[in-house]
C-alpha cells in the first residue's frame, strides 16, 4: 500500500499546482491534495479504510470519542518546512489525534525534514525529533503538542491528517 500511496502522491502533487487542479498550496513551499473515497479501488481508499479501523481501535483502547478523519498528501519543496504550530486551532476543538505517514522511498539524516515535537508546557523546548524515514507512522495529540517540520534538503512526501471528534462527510 505504501508504494501505491507514493505513486498517487507523486501524480497528484509533484507535477505542480497548474497541472493538478486538485492540489493547492497550504503555505509557501508545499502542495497538498485531500484524500477521498471517490474511487474505492484506489490506494487512497485502502488507506482511508485502514485509518477508519485505526480510529475505531483508538476509541476502544483509549476512549477518545473519535468520529471521523481527514487526510491529505503533502509535498514540501527543497528548503521548505513548517513553523511551530498546533494542529488543533482555537475555537475549533475537533482535531484530536494527528497522523503523519512518510512516503519518500529513501531518506537519511542528511536529507533533513524532521518533525520536531515541543513540550506542551514550554513550546520552546524540543522534546523529540523524528526523521521522516520511509513508512514511518507518527501519531500524537493535536491539542497537546506544538510541532514543526524542519526544512528538507530534497522534496519530502507525506500523508498527513487528523482523527476528529466531529462527524465529517
Amino acid at each position: 500500500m505504501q508504494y501505491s500511496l507514493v505513486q498517487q502522491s507523486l501524480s497528484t502533487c509533484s507535477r505542480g499546482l497548474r497541472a493538478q487542479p486538485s492540489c493547492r498550496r497550504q503555505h509557501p513551499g508545499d502542495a497538498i491534495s485531500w484524500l477521498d473515497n471517490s474511487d474505492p479501488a484506489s490506494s487512497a481508499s485502502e488507506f482511508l479504510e485502514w485509518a477508519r479501523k485505526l480510529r475505531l481501535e483508538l476509541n476502544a483502547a483509549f476512549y477518545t470519542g473519535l468520529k471521523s478523519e481527514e487526510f491529505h498528501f503533502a509535498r514540501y519543496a527543497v528548503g521548505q518546512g513548517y513553523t511551530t504550530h498546533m494542529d488543533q486551532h482555537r475555537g475549533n476543538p475537533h482535531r484530536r489525534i494527528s497522523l503523519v505517514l512518510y512516503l519518500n522511498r529513501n531518506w537519511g539524516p542528511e536529507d533533513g525534514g524532521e518533525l520536531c515535537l515541543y513540550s506542551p508546557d514550554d513550546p520552546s523546548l524540543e522534546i523529540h525529533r523524528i526523521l521522516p524515514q520511509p513508512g514511518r507512522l507518527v501519531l500524537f495529540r493535536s491539542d497537546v503538542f506544538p510541532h514543526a517540520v524542519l526544512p528538507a534538503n530534497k522534496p519530502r512526501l507525506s500523508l498527513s491528517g487528523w482523527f476528529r471528534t466531529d462527524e465529517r462527510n
Side-chain angles (χ1 to χ4, degrees):
M1 177 173 69
Q2 180 191 341
Y3 182 71
S4 298
L5 287 168
V6 169
Q7 293 305 310
Q8 188 168 349
S9 173
L10 287 169
S11 70
T12 56
C13 286
S14 291
R15 285 185 266 163
L17 298 175
R18 280 180 259 143
Q20 294 294 328
S22 66
C23 290
R24 67 175 178 81
R25 289 208 185 280
Q26 181 70 17
H27 59 83
D30 81 343
I32 68 167
S33 179
W34 291 95
L35 274 66
D36 64 41
N37 273 328
S38 59
D39 178 5
S42 76
S43 52
S45 290
E46 185 180 351
F47 171 81
L48 289 171
E49 177 58 20
W50 174 85
R52 185 189 69 78
K53 290 177 183 175
L54 176 58
R55 175 175 50 84
L56 296 175
E57 290 179 25
L58 290 169
N59 282 339
F62 301 108
Y63 307 100
T64 54
L66 303 172
K67 296 179 181 175
S68 63
E69 54 275 330
E70 62 179 342
F71 297 102
H72 64 271
F73 291 119
R75 180 186 185 276
Y76 288 83
V78 172
Q80 298 301 313
Y82 203 113
T83 59
T84 304
H85 65 285
M86 297 286 288
D87 282 348
Q88 188 180 86
H89 303 133
R90 288 185 192 152
N92 189 353
H94 302 296
R95 288 180 177 172
R96 186 60 50 90
I97 304 290
S98 298
L99 177 147
V100 182
L101 173 63
Y102 296 108
L103 297 175
N104 286 76
R105 295 190 69 167
N106 298 303
W107 203 273
E110 69 281 0
D111 297 320
E114 295 96 334
L115 173 67
C116 293
L117 297 176
Y118 297 95
S119 168
D121 299 322
D122 180 0
S124 67
L125 178 63
E126 182 181 316
I127 58 172
H128 199 68
R129 191 175 284 202
I130 301 165
L131 188 67
Q133 293 182 316
R136 178 169 279 169
L137 179 71
V138 180
L139 296 168
F140 59 92
R141 288 274 305 268
S142 306
D143 59 333
V144 172
F145 291 100
H147 58 284
V149 177
L150 298 181
N153 296 320
K154 64 182 187 181
R156 179 182 170 277
L157 301 173
S158 63
L159 192 155
S160 303
W162 305 274
F163 293 104
R164 301 175 58 99
T165 58
D166 60 342
E167 298 284 344
R168 306 226 356 140
N169 293 333

